Amino acid sequence: MSTTGTTARARRPIIEIRDVERVYDLGKIYVRALDGIDLDILENDYVAVMGPSGSGKSTLMNLLGCLDTPTAGHYLFEGEDVAGMDDDELADIRNRRIGFVFQSFNLLPRATVLRNVELPLVYAGMGREERIERARETLGIVGLSDRAHHRPNELSGGQRQRVAIARALVNNPSVILADEPTGNLDSRTGEDIMVIFESLYRAGNTLIVVTHEDDIARHARRVVRLRDGRIESDEPVERPAPAENALR
Amino acid sequence: MRRFFTEFAENARIAAEQIGAHKMRSLLTALGVIIGVMAVTLMGTAVNGLDKGFSDSLDMLGTDLLYVERWPWGGAGDDWMRYRNRPTFRTDYAHQLNEIILDTPNSALEAAVPCALSFRAIQRGGESVSNVYIVGTTAAYGYVNRADIEFGRFFNDTEYASGRNVIILGYDVAGALFETGRETAIGQDVRIRGLRYEVIGVFRRQGSFLGLQSFDNQAAMPLPALRRFERGNWHTHIRVKMRPDASIHEARSELEGAMRRIRGLLPGQENDFEINQTEMLEDTIGNVKTQIALGGFFITGLALFVGAIGIMNITFVSVRERTREIGTRRALGARRGTILAQFLMEAVGICLIGGAVGLALTVGLKFVFGAAVPAFPFILSPQLIVAAVVVSIATGILSGFVPAFQASRLDPAEALRHE
């Protein structure tokens, strides 16, 4: 039907969220942090999740990352219902299928860059030699091969976040989940990180970036806005800002 | 399985790094364990040494000897009056016993020697050794007691029969009286209560243990010679040597029968003498050992209890300091069990270091004590080292479990948000 080179294939859903609620029981009061959310994330999506504080952004982030489970509704991760999983099963999903990037990097201060990147593979039970090989490869993707034996405190903020990205990538996850990845970086360094995200997206990865900055969200291909525990809007980005241009 | 090993290696590495990063803190925390392990190992070496020293001493007293006398060893207790009222013990029972032994076919006994005792000063010129254990006996004494002679000789049957004033000095006694050398004592005279005795021999050095009697501070002479200054039979006893192939039980009952005959006891009448043997002393030393062990356990328990609380505390602190790290690890796929194991290993690691330091200090102290008290054999057995390691690991697991469990139960999302 289409005459323009690429055919639009039906993309596989990674995450399907149906009518999800998350209620916190704070003793005397109940806080309804998420109040009936429907959200699909497809393979090779690049989604920015936005919203003011208190909108349920963090709660959604925790649910998406399998750090928490919904109190009602269904959350299918690659077709499996996360709601019924026990703690160890959730840990395994996080380990093998989700890559986390945090605002404050969360690197282990006493471990070398290489060991930080290896860590998810340790928890996956991979042998030492294979681990080191994979970690080195992944460090190459973020351009830090020469920093493998440094410690985090010997690196700049941008470099640290790149190590964290390598750590998120090392297990070939189904989705990369970044929580305010540029929040602790100056805007130039932040743009560097977005360049890496752009290249990961183009390489076929699925990315979810939680942010409150419009400048960052504009790099994504789709923006989901939350307000008061509901999805306010879910729209494609008309003209994504090419990260490379922002560098100049 | 593989996952277990990679995680185990990782956790061991983290524990080593953490302990290394807080050396002072870890060492101070380990202090309780150090003291505890020192207490348990020092106590153990002391008990081992006591055992060794004691069994050596028993060998000296003679494990094949039966001592017939008025009193039981190890104290009379409330029955004091009963023993007190027994008839006086006489030295000539030994001769009667020897006759009975000769008349008994296949006797389990070999020979009996009388021992009359006196505690007197022995003087020579200006030198004097007070309160020497002087035994008056027969020529068979040397054979029965396996008392070896270093210089000179023991007295013979003729000297016994004639009651010649000769004396054989213990090694220490001879050393104190003859500064010119023990060998120069032979042929010299010493004085006891003004009487002269010629030194004809010096016993070989035996060594003593915790003040137990030894030939080193004794002297021996013919019984008639002793009678010149000691009439009493207060401490008189008879030593009976068993045949090497005889059973103790057999020997004891034969001896009991013979003594009853000598004493003229009717059937149904109670024994009015006592048969003692070195086994009875083992009961006494058993009490001492139990007391040392109890004291040691108390100190060990106290030190380990205090140490365990310190380790628990420091592990709580460690969990708190690294809450965000726990969150990160959980996000990256660490299971609860992994986190539990991580903090447990840290606590166990501190305890093992404490145990190693404690053991090292014990080894050091062993040498110091060994040099200070050469007579006391301190023995650090492999079992004690194993015990120290087991105690350390157990302390680590017990004290680390609660904080480690708490760490493993942290909500990953909340832990990640922890400042």
Side-chain angles (χ1 to χ4, degrees):
Chain A
M1 188 170 128
S2 170
T3 52
T4 57
T6 55
T7 314
R9 276 183 294 130
R11 284 182 297 158
R12 178 172 72 96
I14 305 283
I15 288 171
E16 297 159 90
I17 286 181
R18 292 288 169 274
D19 205 21
V20 153
E21 288 180 11
R22 180 66 173 90
V23 179
Y24 291 103
D25 181 357
L26 299 180
K28 291 209 173 96
I29 50 164
Y30 291 97
V31 176
R32 193 169 289 271
L34 292 181
D35 187 9
I37 297 255
D38 291 301
L39 181 65
D40 282 355
I41 308 256
L42 305 182
E43 194 175 15
N44 201 19
D45 254 352
Y46 186 180
V47 183
V49 177
M50 298 195 72
S53 57
S55 60
K57 217 170 30 169
S58 298
T59 306
L60 179 61
M61 174 78 190
N62 289 342
L63 287 182
L64 289 174
C66 294
L67 293 164
D68 195 4
T69 47
T71 42
H74 291 283
Y75 174 15
L76 302 185
F77 193 102
E78 295 186 316
E80 290 174 62
D81 197 347
V82 168
M85 289 188 181
D86 69 19
D87 200 88
D88 282 355
E89 288 170 319
L90 289 175
D92 288 349
I93 293 243
R94 293 195 296 267
N95 182 239
R96 288 160 207 270
R97 305 204 218 164
I98 302 173
F100 288 90
V101 178
F102 304 99
Q103 178 174 357
S104 47
F105 326 133
N106 291 15
L107 300 177
L108 305 184
R110 270 182 268 284
T112 62
V113 163
L114 191 66
R115 266 195 72 211
N116 265 289
V117 176
E118 269 182 66
L119 199 56
L121 303 177
V122 170
Y123 293 134
M126 188 183 283
R128 190 159 179 274
E129 278 161 37
E130 201 182 346
R131 243 160 45 202
I132 292 176
E133 198 187 312
R134 282 272 289 275
R136 281 188 183 284
E137 248 170 55
T138 318
L139 273 175
I141 296 175
V142 298
L144 284 177
S145 300
D146 55 337
R147 294 284 190 275
H149 298 291
H150 288 60
R151 282 174 207 283
N153 61 7
E154 298 164 339
L155 303 179
S156 70
Q159 287 172 324
R160 289 184 206 184
Q161 195 58 301
R162 276 149 69 193
V163 174
I165 292 171
R167 184 177 64 184
L169 281 174
V170 77
N171 252 354
N172 285 328
S174 308
V175 56
I176 293 166
L177 203 52
D179 186 8
E180 303 277 8
T182 60
N184 279 15
L185 302 172
D186 60 60
S187 55
R188 233 204 80 159
T189 320
E191 286 298 333
D192 290 350
I193 297 301
M194 297 322 287
V195 171
I196 294 175
F197 279 4
E198 181 69 24
S199 65
L200 293 178
Y201 165 66
R202 289 190 183 167
N205 287 289
T206 309
L207 292 111
I208 303 173
V209 179
V210 177
T211 182
H212 65 274
E213 290 176 68
D214 286 320
D215 285 350
I216 298 300
R218 214 175 296 138
H219 292 288
R221 298 300 186 271
R222 179 181 159 198
V223 176
V224 174
R225 286 175 199 278
L226 288 177
R227 184 174 290 276
D228 297 333
R230 293 168 191 271
I231 290 179
E232 187 185 53
S233 66
D234 183 353
E235 294 162 341
V237 177
E238 288 302 332
R239 277 194 299 155
E244 291 95 328
N245 293 349
L247 276 175
R248 306 202 172 95
Chain B
M1 204 58 197
R2 190 170 178 189
R3 179 178 171 135
F4 175 82
F5 284 119
T6 55
E7 283 186 358
F8 187 87
E10 169 74 10
N11 281 339
R13 202 165 164 176
I14 298 166
E17 281 170 1
Q18 279 301 320
I19 294 167
H22 304 285
K23 287 187 193 70
M24 199 57 183
R25 181 165 105 178
S26 305
L27 196 66
L28 287 176
T29 307
L31 208 57
V33 180
I34 294 175
I35 294 171
V37 165
M38 273 179 69
V40 77
T41 49
L42 279 177
M43 175 197 79
T45 50
V47 169
N48 281 350
L50 210 55
D51 252 357
K52 171 80 163 63
F54 196 71
S55 75
D56 289 352
S57 293
L58 290 189
D59 285 349
M60 177 201 92
L61 284 177
T63 45
D64 60 347
L65 285 189
L66 298 170
Y67 288 68
V68 190
E69 53 201 305
R70 208 161 147 194
W71 300 89
W73 288 353
D78 292 339
D79 286 340
W80 190 80
M81 276 309 282
R82 182 160 73 101
Y83 302 118
R84 173 69 183 78
N85 290 335
R86 283 176 168 178
T88 305
F89 213 81
R90 299 209 318 262
T91 50
D92 61 345
Y93 296 156
H95 301 285
Q96 301 177 42
L97 272 175
N98 278 329
E99 278 165 22
I100 294 173
I101 291 169
L102 280 176
D103 288 348
T104 310
N106 300 324
S107 172
L109 306 171
E110 206 166 336
V113 290
C115 295
L117 299 186
S118 183
F119 295 88
R120 301 285 176 188
I122 301 183
Q123 290 159 323
R124 179 188 166 261
E127 307 293 334
S128 172
V129 181
S130 59
N131 213 27
V132 181
Y133 179 111
I134 305 169
V135 53
T137 183
T138 62
Y141 179 86
Y143 164 71
V144 167
N145 283 282
R146 270 179 283 145
D148 293 328
I149 300 290
E150 176 86 33
F151 304 110
R153 59 179 178 84
F154 204 77
F155 61 83
N156 57 34
D157 286 328
T158 318
E159 283 161 329
Y160 166 75
S162 64
R164 216 188 132 199
N165 277 6
V166 291
I167 188 166
I168 294 92
L169 298 177
Y171 192 81
D172 290 347
V173 178
L177 293 177
F178 296 90
E179 282 171 356
T180 47
R182 292 178 180 85
E183 66 276 9
T184 64
I186 310 299
Q188 303 285 310
D189 283 352
V190 294
R191 283 176 179 276
I192 300 168
R193 301 205 83 192
L195 301 168
R196 281 164 188 258
Y197 290 85
E198 186 193 340
V199 179
I200 58 166
V202 175
F203 286 118
R204 177 163 295 159
R205 177 159 204 268
Q206 203 162 33
S208 73
F209 173 72
L210 291 184
L212 288 174
Q213 44 173 270
S214 128
F215 289 116
D216 294 354
N217 44 29
Q218 294 182 6
M221 62 175 60
L223 180 57
L226 183 91
R227 285 298 180 218
R228 299 207 167 93
F229 59 88
E230 179 65 63
R231 300 262 167 71
N233 273 318
W234 188 249
H235 297 289
T236 295
H237 63 264
I238 290 166
R239 299 186 193 178
V240 186
K241 190 179 176 69
M242 292 162 42
R243 287 204 184 280
D245 50 348
S247 80
I248 284 198
H249 183 74
E250 214 183 331
R252 274 187 78 101
S253 59
E254 186 186 333
L255 181 56
E256 188 182 350
M259 275 307 294
R260 286 182 70 88
R261 240 172 88 193
I262 293 168
R263 276 290 175 89
L265 296 176
L266 299 171
Q269 258 183 308
E270 236 181 82
N271 286 347
D272 57 1
F273 56 89
E274 208 68 35
I275 298 173
N276 293 317
Q277 63 192 93
T278 52
E279 260 178 31
M280 296 169 69
L281 286 180
E282 279 168 35
D283 296 344
T284 318
I285 202 76
N287 285 336
V288 176
K289 268 156 54 183
T290 313
Q291 276 162 20
I292 292 180
L294 279 179
F297 271 127
F298 184 70
I299 297 170
T300 307
L302 209 63
L304 288 178
F305 183 69
V306 172
I309 288 177
I311 287 160
M312 192 181 286
N313 183 44
I314 217 70
T315 312
F316 271 124
V317 170
S318 186
V319 168
R320 200 170 180 77
E321 281 174 351
R322 287 149 69 198
T323 301
R324 189 191 276 252
E325 181 196 314
I326 295 168
T328 306
R329 288 181 184 275
R330 295 279 277 130
L332 297 181
R335 295 177 175 188
R336 280 178 174 161
T338 313
I339 300 294
L340 180 84
Q342 179 189 327
F343 284 93
L344 264 188
M345 273 176 87
E346 217 173 293
V348 169
I350 290 177
C351 287
L352 277 176
I353 289 174
V357 173
L359 263 181
L361 288 176
T362 300
V363 170
L365 281 178
K366 180 170 118 61
F367 281 114
V368 173
F369 287 162
V373 196
F376 195 99
F378 289 93
I379 298 161
L380 186 63
S381 62
Q383 289 96 313
L384 275 177
I385 294 172
V386 171
V389 172
V390 169
V391 160
S392 306
I393 292 176
T395 309
I397 290 174
L398 287 178
S399 57
F401 186 79
V402 172
F405 184 75
Q406 202 187 56
S408 74
R409 292 282 134 174
L410 284 175
D411 179 61
E414 265 175 45
L416 273 170
R417 244 182 286 132
H418 189 89
E419 288 308 317

